[in-house]
Structures are given as structure tokens and as C-alpha cells.
DNA sequence: ACTCGTTTATGATTCCAGTCATAAAATAAG
DNA sequence: CTTATTTTATGACTGGAATCATAAACGAGT
């Protein structure tokens, strides 16, 4: 969201996290603006039965964890490093000082919020109907479009495990495996060396 | 979001809609900021099978339809009057001029976006697991908290039909009816004259 | 090359929300 | 008041994703 040069100018700390390390946890007070510098970060929830739900996966230079700063609420989900990752961090107070001094950056941040709201609206609608094929295709199409990838058929490599797709769509691994196979049979996706192409 | 006196000062139009009338439609270009003056407005999608999904229901003085202004995308859902309703409308250009001139209002708008994102994140997580009881309770709890209602048990009257709850949770009416009965038996809600209290 | 943990794969079975049909109760319209 | 429409309610049946079990294929590490 914010250029690397500019963010360091603003006194951001750069933190390192190992794979599977927590950056913050659900229920904690929101104190910082975060932005991915390298690697990947996911936000997730766990249901009572232990089943994971992945709200989103972020890679550089996306920001995350800022909505609770605005809404003045606790974190509604955990942030966890999916891979070894580096993250910029700016204290809440500094962040707001900065926004007020830079209306155009504030607008960028608002745009980021609106974009994520859009994604969530689409996913909520898709999750509400239980059809596994649509759930999976929507996630894949979203990722493809996010990656600003050409819209050519079966050229976008989906870099997610079947389990991650399951956790993003609320399905079970077995269902994802079976559904992706059936989608491949319908020529909606292609499977090459176990990787999914959309 | 914005006070009635202030919004008229800013040259907002006030429009009237009959029950079930469309304010805008999915896929249209976003040209205005909207705010409810009276009545209720819902945003919804229709699946291929004709099943409705209600993204949210708004009443005064909540704003709606502004995320696409920021994200510069088409409307991802329809806006429809649930009851006879009045709505303020400000052209996109004026809206942004206004935001840039009033950083504190821009902050309010960002807060509104963040709050809705929060709601959607919770609902997405809840929709992803198929347990009907949790889906319904989450919606009810959210509405109760939104109404800034006391947290006393079974004092909040849910002013939704079973069908609306179904469309908000992605369940079927029959399932909602049966699940609410079973929730009443477990003392999670109370049913008085067919109305649900949480 | 071998071991261990992860990921993908497949079959059999269960369970529960969806579906369909039908109707009573409540509310709106005339 | 009477009729029409909407909302709530119930029972019987079905379908399909979850669940459980088991195993093959792959990748990381030694």
C-alpha cells in the first residue's frame, strides 16, 4: 500500500517472523498498522471444532490489520506467517498523524478497505450457497485477478495446497480434491503435476 | 454517517422509493454516495438458482454504496428498498471534494468501511462452517449489538422474518424455522407471538 | 538412498440441511 | 367482513458433503 522508501521514512519498524509464528491474535487490542515486506501472512479464525477458516492471505506490499484501528475494536482474527516473513509496523498514533497529514494516502488506505470489503462481499455470497464448485472457482478467479494475471485460460498457477483452498472456502480437503478433479474433467481448470492452473 | 443538516448543506438530493424498488443494480457504474434518511434498504445478490443472499440491511443514518466509489469498481450487489424509504444522494465528485476538505469526515467514512469489513469477516467465518445454529445466533447477536441494545437475555426483538434470516444466513426458511425452535428449546432465544427475542 | 512428515488420492458410510408437499395462522387488501 | 397474500409450521424423503479409514506420491532433511 505504501512505498518501501516512504514507510521507513515514517519510522516503521521491520520485524521478522518464522513460518507459523503469530503476528497478532484474535481478541487482542489493535495497536499498529502492518504491511508485508516479504513472505506471506494469513489471517484466520478457528471454529470450536478446531477447523480453520482463512480470511485472506497477504503478500508484499499489502497492508493488514488496519481495519480495527479505524473501527476501534479488537482483532477479529489471528495474523500468522504462512512462510518466513518480514513485516513493517507503525504505531496507531503515528499512523493517524500520517493519514491526516497526507489526504492522498488516506484515500489509498480507504481504497484498500473498500477493495477488501468487495472481496468479502463476493465470498460471503458464494459461501452462503453450498455448491463447492462455485466456491472454489470464485477463490481461484479472485486470486488470478489479484495477481493481475492475463485472463488466458489455464495459465495461472494456483500456489495453494488443497488444504488451504479448503480453509478459504470452508470445505473439507477431500471435497476440494474431488471437486477440483471434476472441474478439470469439465475443463474449468487444468491439473499439471498436481498443481492447479486456472 | 453524516448529520442531516450537514448533508443537505452539501447539496445532497433526497429521493423517495417504494417498497421493493431498486436504488441501483449489480454491475452498474457507481456514481453516488448514498445515505438512508428513512425506512430500510437492503443490498442483495441473486444466485443462478434464483436464491437471494442479503449482504446487509441499512436504516437511517447509515451510508451505503460508497465502497465502489473508492475501489473504482461496479456495484457488486443490488440496493433495494425493504420498506418505503427516503435516501440522500451526493455525486461522486462532490463526495470526494468534500472528503478532502474535511479530514475528520473522511475518517468517519473510513471507520464505516472498517466496521462493515469487520461484520463481513465475522459472517464469512460463520458461513464457512455449515452449522445453522451458529449462523443464526451470529446474525442475531450482531443485530443486537448494532442496535446498541442492553446485553440482557431475550430482551432484543428481532425484526426480521424467517425468510430474511434465511437470506442473510444462506439457509432455507424451513431450516431457519426448525433451528430457531430448537434454539428456543435450548434457551438461546425466546419466541413470543412468533417473534424472536435474543 | 533412506526416513519422516506433508500432500494428494480414493472408497465406504453417515448425517443433516435441502427439497417437496401441504396447511394453519397472521396480515394486508378490497 | 371477506378474500388474498404472506408468514410460520410440520412431516416425509433425498442428495451430497462430511466423516472415517487407508494408502500412494511427493518433498525436505539427514
Amino acid at each position: 500500500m505504501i512505498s518501501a522508501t516512504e514507510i521507513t521514512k515514517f519510522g516503521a519498524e521491520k520485524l521478522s517472523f518464522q513460518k507459523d509464528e503469530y503476528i497478532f491474535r484474535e481478541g487482542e487490542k489493535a495497536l499498529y498498522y502492518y504491511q508485508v515486506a516479504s513472505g506471506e501472512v494469513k489471517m484466520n479464525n478457528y471454529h470450536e471444532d478446531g477447523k480453520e477458516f482463512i480470511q485472506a492471505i497477504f503478500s508484499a506490499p499489502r497492508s493488514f490489520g488496519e481495519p480495527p484501528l479505524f473501527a476501534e475494536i479488537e482483532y477479529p482474527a489471528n495474523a500468522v506467517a504462512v512462510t518466513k516473513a518480514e513485516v513493517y509496523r507503525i504505531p496507531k498514533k503515528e499512523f493517524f498523524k500520517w493519514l491526516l497529514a497526507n489526504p492522498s494516502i488516506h484515500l489509498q488506505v480507504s481504497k484498500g478497505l473498500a477493495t477488501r470489503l468487495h472481496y468479502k462481499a463476493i465470498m460471503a455470497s458464494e459461501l452462503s450457497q453450498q455448491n463447492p464448485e462455485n466456491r472454489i472457482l470464485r477463490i481461484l478467479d479472485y486470486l488470478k485477478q489479484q495477481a493481475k494475471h492475463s485472463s488466458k485460460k489455464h495459465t495461472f498457477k494456483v500456489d495453494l495446497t488443497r488444504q488451504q483452498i479448503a480453509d478459504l472456502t470452508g470445505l473439507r480437503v477431500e471435497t476440494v480434491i474431488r471437486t477440483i478433479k471434476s472441474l478439470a474433467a469439465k475443463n474449468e481448470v487444468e491439473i499439471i503435476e498436481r498443481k492447479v492452473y486456472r
Side-chain angles (χ1 to χ4, degrees), chain A residues 96-111:
Chain A
F96 278 110
K97 215 188 285 176
W98 194 36
L99 284 194
L100 289 174
N102 300 278
S104 71
I105 288 181
H106 189 174
L107 219 53
Q108 274 300 307
V109 172
S110 296
K111 183 176 176 174

Side-chain angles (χ1 to χ4, degrees), chain A residues 8 16 19 27 29 36 41 54 65-66 76 87 90 106 127 135 141-142 144 152-154 166 178 182 185 193-194:
Chain A
T8 45
S16 291
K19 180 167 153 50
K29 203 172 169 189
V36 181
V41 173
I54 300 178
E66 75 276 29
V87 166
I90 305 173
H106 189 174
L127 288 170
R135 290 199 192 190
D141 285 341
Y142 176 78
K144 185 173 184 174
K152 250 187 238 140
K153 247 192 163 184
H154 307 166
R178 287 189 248 254
S182 114
E193 285 171 15
R194 306 178 138 209

Side-chain angles (χ1 to χ4, degrees), chain A residues 6 26 38 69 79 102 104 124 134 137 144-145 150 161 165:
Chain A
E6 201 159 355
E26 183 175 352
S38 71
L69 296 179
N102 300 278
S104 71
N134 290 339
L137 287 179
K144 185 173 184 174
Q145 163 248 311
S150 103
T161 66
I165 295 175

Side-chain angles (χ1 to χ4, degrees), chain A residues 52-158:
Chain A
E52 179 180 7
F53 177 70
I54 300 178
Q55 292 280 358
I57 298 180
F58 301 115
S59 49
R62 307 258 325 258
S63 64
F64 63 95
E66 75 276 29
L69 296 179
F70 288 101
E72 284 159 349
I73 51 177
E74 295 168 346
Y75 285 120
N78 309 295
V80 184
V82 179
T83 62
K84 191 169 162 25
E86 292 171 304
V87 166
Y88 293 114
R89 187 174 90 168
I90 305 173
K92 177 175 177 172
K93 210 173 167 181
E94 300 298 313
F95 176 62
F96 278 110
K97 215 188 285 176
W98 194 36
L99 284 194
L100 289 174
N102 300 278
S104 71
I105 288 181
H106 189 174
L107 219 53
Q108 274 300 307
V109 172
S110 296
K111 183 176 176 174
L113 291 177
T115 304
R116 261 143 77 188
L117 190 54
H118 176 236
Y119 165 69
K120 284 258 173 280
I122 288 173
M123 279 314 297
S125 170
E126 219 52 49
L127 288 170
S128 78
Q129 58 151 12
Q130 71 294 21
N131 181 343
E133 297 202 348
N134 290 339
R135 290 199 192 190
I136 292 174
L137 287 179
R138 272 285 186 282
I139 280 281
L140 301 188
D141 285 341
Y142 176 78
L143 292 172
K144 185 173 184 174
Q145 163 248 311
Q146 272 283 304
K148 283 166 186 158
H149 196 276
S150 103
S151 56
K152 250 187 238 140
K153 247 192 163 184
H154 307 166
T155 55
F156 173 65
K157 184 181 177 185
V158 179

